[in-house]
Amino acid sequence: MTVRASKFTPEVLLSAPRRSSGKPNARGTLALFSVTTYSFESHSRKSEIRVLDIASSQSHLVTDDEKASDPNWIGDGNDVVWLKSGSDGKTTLVVANLSDTSKIHSYSAGVIDGPVSNIKLAKISDDAFAVAVVGQATPDGALYNPEKAPKQQSTGKVYTSLFVRHWDYYLSPQRNSIFYGRLTLEPSHVTNSSDKYTLSKLTNSLKGTGIESPIPPFGGTDHFDLSSSGIAFVAKDPDENPATNTKAHFYFIPIKTFTGLSTPEPIKVVVDGLEGACTSPVISPDGTKAVFLQMKKNGYESDKNRVILIPDLTNPFQTVELLASENGKGAWDSSPSSVSWSNDGNTLYLVAEATGRGILFSLPSNPADIKGLPKKLTTTGTVSDIAAASKSSNELFISSTSLVDNSYYSILDPAKPGELKLISSSSKGGKTFGLSQDQVSDIWFPGAGDYKVHAWVVKPSNFDSSKKYPLAYLIHGGPQGAWAESWSTRWNPAVFAEQGYVVITPNPTGSTSYGQDFVDAIQEEWGGRPYTDIVKGFEYIRDNLSYVDTDRAVALGASYGGYMMNWIQGNPLGRKFKALVTHDGVFSMANQISSDELYFPFHDLGGTLWDKRAQWERWDPSRLSGNWETPHLIIHNELDYRLPVSEGLAAFNVLQKRGVPSMYLTFPDENHWVLKPENSLQWHTVVLNWINKFAGLPPYKENNGGYEVNEPIKKMQDLKV
């Protein structure tokens, strides 16, 4: 966006360019990134791959092919590669040289016989590179191409074990797998013609193993790594049912030539005492070591990640837990989400949440050199990705977001923590949205116990401290999650603030980034301590923030936040709000037995439905539905298999039968989230019109923006024959 928006609206949010993390080249002069934009005028999406000149902060177009994705550098020069999907289900590996950005010519290095993504490369020699991509494999190990698959004449699906369905799809015989090959620079035999890269045939590294990686539904490049020494990856234990277990392992496949002539069996690394989920496997720059993250508890997806080092990949069974402690809890009370190596292999970089921010830390990779806790390198915003700024430097290229900036790139010298050099901001620090950091602050208030609860405060851009603004109280999902100082295109506090609200986003019991004990304390307490924290937050706002009008308060939440809206509706706090909004929330706790990942309710509610029935019923919102009387908007999507659509319908039925002003919005083609821009615009329009109506603010759009509202036929004469 180059023109400043007069007001930050849902249209501005949803049509703003969405920029990927930046990938610097070896010399540190250029950075690759992809960007997508959506136009509500043409109702179409535009995709580009661009290259940023780091010195000038100017970017140049590499390709605007909408089917291009996953740009990466090849080696130390200016050659790049990306994937191009085809209508026949095949994928082309495209190569180009960016030495002259005014004349970019690309060519095909090879065609892959199916859809793939998440490409990674590693140098084998001066003219050869290992390549790895992710695709779905058929039961016999072949790359699955849905365009070539035989058409079924019936639609029935038969299952004999869990999963039946996961997130937003029904399970099929196909499974994720990592395919590898070689990209070789071939000498040209044509006069005045340049040498070109050629892709070899790909080999399924997991064929016949029964192992699936990346782990669905969200695993990608964070679940595998590629080196000249082989492939490292994480995968769920194939001997455990994935619907009721999170148990996973680190695996290593030592590969020398990447020709596919022979693929060794994956070596499974079992870390004694750790039986939980794994992520972020990364091989050291010299290919001799590896590091990954693993949780301790099986069945608990929000346990603390431990940093596990493999000092010698030729003997991967020897592991070291960094930052371990005698009590087993770990010396560092943070849970890193990613880990990576410095260029020289002497330092590990960890990204972890800390007090509602996504912070970068450093830690010596040699256990003998660790003298204390990880060193904090950033202090604000949320780091989304890091990379070496160049091959010859210790500096880091950092991709980040904040509550007012949807993408900014910085350079950081780890020897100078906090001193980030801004390279590029997609929104000019929020200015193109009409936003500024001055709108953002935070508060701490007493919680249900001997602790304080943190919350972000986002004010309108035209805020006047002498005026009072209605409260928009936003409750996050998870429940083991947090409102962070980061950008969101689904729940963006600034969109609500620009309607005329003071937006406050508390992080009650169960929230991440305030220590593992605080996270764990929500187990068997879904409607207990978190609810009390939220009540106390409301009281603190009422008594201490003179510019907030709690007599015109509204509350909104999704997922666990949607559960909390339903719980609040049946409890005294529900009478403090003029209106509520539940997005994909729990209505009946017993119905969570129809969810996909059953380990989640089993853990959080203390056991199975049949063994812990009283505990499940204790925090059941439907149990208090006789108290429901606050106007309430219910949103639930039909492809949400985490929380089935019946949850939303049941809540709406109760409201309607009780005569409570209510509305129901559903999207047949969306899952737990609303991802399609046109659907998201309707979501925002309906939500903002609903809360504005009860908070005494003007409607966002008259007549719900023209979206169809289905009203019942109340009179027989309305029927037309």
Side-chain angles (χ1 to χ4, degrees), residues 375-386:
K375 180 180 179 182
K376 182 184 289 189
L377 300 181
T378 63
T379 58
T380 60
T382 293
V383 173
S384 54
D385 192 32
I386 68 164

Side-chain angles (χ1 to χ4, degrees), residues 361-382:
F361 297 84
S362 65
L363 182 73
S365 62
N366 183 353
D369 295 334
I370 299 176
K371 306 303 181 184
L373 299 181
K375 180 180 179 182
K376 182 184 289 189
L377 300 181
T378 63
T379 58
T380 60
T382 293

Side-chain angles (χ1 to χ4, degrees), residues 277-289:
C278 284
T279 191
S280 199
V282 191
I283 302 172
S284 62
D286 63 5
T288 63
K289 307 177 184 69

Side-chain angles (χ1 to χ4, degrees), residues 552-632:
R552 291 195 293 151
V554 296
L556 309 88
S559 195
Y560 173 79
Y563 160 86
M564 185 53 70
M565 291 302 104
N566 294 344
W567 184 253
I568 285 172
Q569 174 70 281
N571 280 278
L573 184 59
R575 310 294 78 79
K576 303 294 185 181
F577 296 106
K578 293 296 185 183
L580 301 172
V581 178
T582 290
H583 175 104
D584 286 15
V586 176
F587 171 75
S588 169
M589 202 62 93
N591 197 34
Q592 294 317 290
I593 201 68
S594 65
S595 185
D596 53 356
E597 294 176 347
L598 288 174
Y599 57 76
F600 177 72
F602 290 172
H603 172 272
D604 272 27
L605 299 176
T608 64
L609 174 63
W610 47 95
D611 289 332
K612 296 286 186 176
R613 183 88 189 204
Q615 179 64 23
W616 283 55
E617 291 177 350
R618 182 184 183 190
W619 306 123
D620 190 336
S622 68
R623 183 170 59 83
L624 303 176
S625 56
N627 300 335
W628 288 25
E629 59 183 64
T630 298
H632 204 150

Side-chain angles (χ1 to χ4, degrees), residues 2 33 51 60 96 151 205 212 216 238 312 392 411 437 491 586 628:
T2 57
F33 65 94
V51 61
H60 304 275
K151 302 302 179 183
S205 65
E212 180 173 24
D312 181 3
S392 59
I411 300 290
Q437 194 63 35
W491 282 84
V586 176
W628 288 25

Side-chain angles (χ1 to χ4, degrees), residues 496-512:
F496 296 92
E498 292 305 276
Q499 290 294 302
Y501 295 94
V502 168
V503 182
I504 298 185
T505 62
N507 285 328
T509 296
S511 299
T512 53

Side-chain angles (χ1 to χ4, degrees), residues 39-104:
S39 169
F40 287 104
E41 288 73 30
S42 63
H43 305 288
S44 62
R45 190 189 305 272
K46 180 181 180 182
S47 299
E48 296 179 340
I49 295 175
R50 302 187 69 86
V51 61
L52 177 74
D53 185 302
I54 293 176
S56 68
S57 297
Q58 299 297 311
S59 71
H60 304 275
L61 178 67
V62 176
T63 178
D64 59 1
D65 189 331
E66 63 179 12
K67 296 181 179 180
S69 64
D70 291 281
N72 274 269
W73 297 100
I74 305 175
D76 299 340
N78 289 322
D79 290 323
V80 297
V81 62
W82 64 83
L83 301 175
K84 178 181 177 180
S85 59
S87 58
D88 55 0
K90 297 181 179 181
T91 306
T92 301
L93 196 75
V94 181
V95 174
N97 185 277
L98 304 186
S99 298
D100 182 358
T101 54
S102 65
K103 298 178 181 178
I104 299 176

